[in-house]
Amino acid sequence: MEVFLIKALQFLMAISLLVLLHELGHFTFAKLFKVRVSRFYLFFNPKFHIMSTYDTWVRRLFRLKPEVVPTVKDEDGKEKKEYVGTEYGLGWLPLGGYCAIDGMIDETNQKLSEVAQPWEFRTKPTWQRLLIMVGGVLVNFLLALFIYSMVLFTWGETYVPLQKMSQGMEFNEQAKAIGFQDGDILVSTNEKDFKKADADMYRMLCNAEEVHVLRHGKPVTIQMPEGLSLVEMAQTIPTFVRPLLPAVIDSVIPDTPADKVGLLKGDKILAANNQQVKSFYGFTDELTRMNDVLASAKTHADSINARLLTIVYQRGENIETASTLLAEDLKLGFAPATLYEPTTFEYGFFESFPAGIKYGWNTLSSYVSDLKYLFSSDGVKQLGGFGAIGSLFPSAWDWHQFWLMTAFLSIVLAFMNILPIPALDGGHVLFLLYEMITRKKPSEDFLIKAEYIGFGALILLMVVANMNDILRYLHIM
């Protein structure tokens, strides 16, 4: 429960910051061009809100110059003053936020008056409306680059370069059929050098025409086939490639199954449940198989059998056997031996900005390139909702990882919002570009229908993504 709360709090903090600044981007440009913003809310407030205040009170507090209040005539022809301030509020449903801009057809479903007013969005020049619409995306993108820059400045970049992994990598049967061998050290593709063991490594392998490796100290070139699937490469068990680490125990966590059966530092695991173990990840593959069996257990006895682990390990010259019943998290409770010391690359304050921009741009391009897999049956299964996103945050509070995840979500939010889909910022941008090119404004009836269709599609996508989370939690998918 504690882990869930820590992850949930980090997710809520990150998404609140991103939504607030995104809407502030729209708000700032709207105010710059003297467009009235009737409501500015963090979180949604169907039916009621937790807290709200009008900007007259905000202005009194900060002694800002009040807006001009226009005089209008009611139905009887009598003059009356109309309030033009912004209602700032905090909704009760923490799923986003909104900035209600007067004279604009959007998801707030506000009704437009028959007579367009000078302070409304629809009366402003096209270029001003375009800047108002891209304001949120622009803020999120620049925010991500700034966060990445500050993360590199504060913590630097720490990883083990692939070329320094002297034991090389281990490969699955698909990779070996292509020509790889266990122990190969990845050097480069025909386009660029490998950097570290991460998602980019898989992307480079997937897109490469040839891969250069060191095998027993000699350079070897491997010709890569076309049509490799990034999803299959990363998700098959065992995966296409991973660091070759020995299944040697470095330390044992107290009061865990490993501690109770007497495992010690230096012990080498040779087999698990009659399956030969050649590496640390080979051992974790067996735990993954056990987890699949446990997920399908129907009785208490099935659950007990699924959690029973028998290992064969070597201590010095002796070969010994031990059996233990694992908890439902299926963790034995040891840390593997560390072969490599990570390298930390530090950046000065001014150096961090170009490095952060490069880091952010690479993150965006990688995310965009991976979207092509979304249109496959396996890709749809990888869709995740709020649960999947929240699970990406660390289980213990870690500011470094928190800010990296926040920057990544900011990049994703910027890109997804600029897609040319009605109800998203990109949909409004698409119609504005059409208006700029053709000099014709789409009818309000068309915009309203497009908004409903786009909003319905987004709701459907959200339902599918969160349903996937539920199915994964129930071990059905």
Side-chain angles (χ1 to χ4, degrees), residues 234-355:
Q235 294 195 339
T236 51
I237 298 177
T239 58
F240 188 90
V241 58
R242 57 197 179 185
L244 180 57
L245 301 175
V248 176
I249 296 174
D250 179 70
S251 60
V252 176
I253 301 173
D255 298 323
T256 61
D259 184 34
K260 293 176 182 177
V261 298
L263 292 178
L264 301 174
K265 179 177 181 177
D267 290 348
K268 182 179 182 180
I269 298 177
L270 303 177
N273 289 344
N274 298 319
Q275 298 294 320
Q276 184 180 8
V277 171
K278 296 181 179 180
S279 67
F280 169 72
Y281 288 117
F283 173 72
T284 61
D285 286 343
E286 176 58 22
L287 295 185
T288 300
R289 187 198 66 78
M290 292 175 63
N291 186 67
D292 293 339
V293 175
L294 179 61
S296 60
K298 297 181 179 179
T299 65
H300 180 67
D302 291 339
S303 176
I304 295 295
N305 290 331
R307 293 188 285 121
L308 185 62
L309 174 66
T310 299
I311 59 171
V312 178
Y313 62 96
Q314 181 178 354
R315 178 177 295 168
E317 299 297 326
N318 300 322
I319 305 298
E320 302 186 27
T321 301
S323 295
T324 182
L325 186 65
L326 302 181
E328 291 190 358
D329 61 2
L330 296 182
K331 292 182 179 179
L332 186 55
F334 72 92
T338 302
L339 294 180
Y340 315 110
E341 285 294 328
T343 301
T344 298
F345 299 87
E346 297 183 349
Y347 299 88
F349 181 75
F350 294 105
E351 293 175 321
S352 66
F353 287 99

Side-chain angles (χ1 to χ4, degrees), residues 59-70:
R59 291 176 184 279
R60 288 179 186 176
L61 180 63
F62 293 101
R63 302 190 180 191
L64 299 176
K65 183 178 178 181
E67 294 184 27
V68 175
V69 180

